[in-house]
Amino acid sequence: MTVQVARTAREALGDVADGSTVMIGGFGPAGQPVELIEALLEQGAGDLVVVSNNAGNGEDALARLILEHRVRKIVCSFPRQVDSWHFDAAYRAGEVELELVPQGNLAERIRAAGAGLGGFFTPTGFGTPLAEGKETRVVDGVPMVFESPLPADVALVKAFRADGVGNLVYRRTARNFGPVMATAARRTVAQVREVVPTGSIDPETVVTPGIYVDAVVALDSATVLAGTQSGTQASAQGSAS
């Protein structure tokens, strides 16, 4: 598979169809692919189902997607913080649907989709409104509820470094949902600080193999280093800081 090394976030994003399910990495601002969400705002797709841990903070790009009525449904764990006023207003007005998922269940549903699993049983949520309409059973004496996989059309993730074939290295807690989201989408786009020549990343440090990545773009005062191999060759732009 050829990985596109793009020059801009908009180029990396490509075309996103109306009605798409879009996964957005990040735990609040940590690991959130802000420039890729900005590119999605510019691109114009609407009627989106957004899968994210949060439902936007303040006036950030995800919150603006909701403000601009581009989101039909949010699947998340923490839809409300003190500054999540755009989601709150849209939800109270009946303009956006919410599927509330416990955080561990959210991560595992995404992982199940990426692993090709048919779902899983978990005690989390059993006996609560979150289990309504779902299959339940007792496993080894523990009541459990069945959770289905959660795939996506597009995943937008943020990593620290990529190489020319799309292998990704993350930085500390900014990793969060990125690795599982990258496996669960038909198209994965990653923004990184730098793109380095293929072969220069220690394989032991690769978290997301390039087989899961379709496009990368170096942002945040980043650079694309000489020697990168890709379907879209990017020229060298200096040395990484």
Side-chain angles (χ1 to χ4, degrees):
M1 183 181 69
T2 300
V3 173
Q4 177 191 16
V5 179
R7 295 179 182 275
T8 67
R10 179 66 188 86
E11 180 185 330
L13 178 69
D15 293 327
V16 177
D18 290 348
S20 293
T21 296
V22 180
M23 288 179 174
I24 297 177
F27 190 94
Q32 188 180 72
V34 174
E35 287 85 352
L36 290 178
I37 308 171
E38 295 277 3
L40 184 59
L41 279 161
E42 177 186 347
Q43 188 265 342
D47 195 36
L48 300 174
V49 176
V50 170
V51 180
S52 177
N53 188 62
N54 302 78
N57 300 89
E59 303 298 327
D60 70 12
L62 177 53
R64 296 204 313 278
L65 272 176
I66 297 169
L67 175 64
E68 294 185 11
H69 307 288
R70 305 268 292 280
V71 179
R72 171 172 57 86
K73 179 180 179 180
I74 287 277
V75 182
C76 72
S77 296
F78 291 93
R80 295 191 64 195
Q81 295 82 228
V82 67
D83 59 351
S84 58
W85 44 73
H86 290 313
F87 168 79
D88 189 69
Y91 181 73
R92 290 177 182 275
E95 297 171 349
V96 63
E97 181 183 350
L98 171 65
E99 181 177 346
L100 188 64
V101 184
Q103 191 175 78
N105 288 5
L106 180 65
E108 188 66 3
R109 288 181 65 191
I110 296 169
R111 191 194 71 82
L117 301 179
F120 59 95
F121 282 95
T122 174
T124 304
F126 182 89
T128 74
L130 298 181
E132 291 179 1
K134 299 177 181 178
E135 180 184 352
T136 60
R137 66 173 60 176
V138 177
V139 179
D140 292 333
V142 180
M144 296 192 177
V145 60
F146 181 78
E147 293 287 352
S148 59
L150 186 57
D153 299 297
V154 181
L156 307 180
V157 303
K158 183 176 183 179
F160 179 66
R161 180 178 292 120
D163 64 13
V165 295
N167 294 312
L168 300 182
V169 176
Y170 298 83
R171 180 172 172 79
R172 299 178 179 174
T173 57
R175 176 188 306 192
N176 51 72
F177 288 87
V180 290
M181 287 184 171
T183 69
R186 291 192 295 175
R187 174 176 170 80
T188 294
V189 184
Q191 69 172 76
V192 297
R193 177 170 289 278
E194 61 181 9
V195 178
V196 299
T198 302
S200 62
I201 296 178
D202 181 352
E204 295 296 328
T205 68
V206 172
V207 177
T208 297
I211 190 67
Y212 294 113
V213 180
D214 298 280
V216 297
V217 59
L219 299 168
D220 299 328
S221 302
T223 57
V224 178
L225 304 185
T228 297
Q229 301 296 320
S230 72
T232 302
Q233 282 287 354
S235 61
Q237 299 178 10
S239 300
S241 58

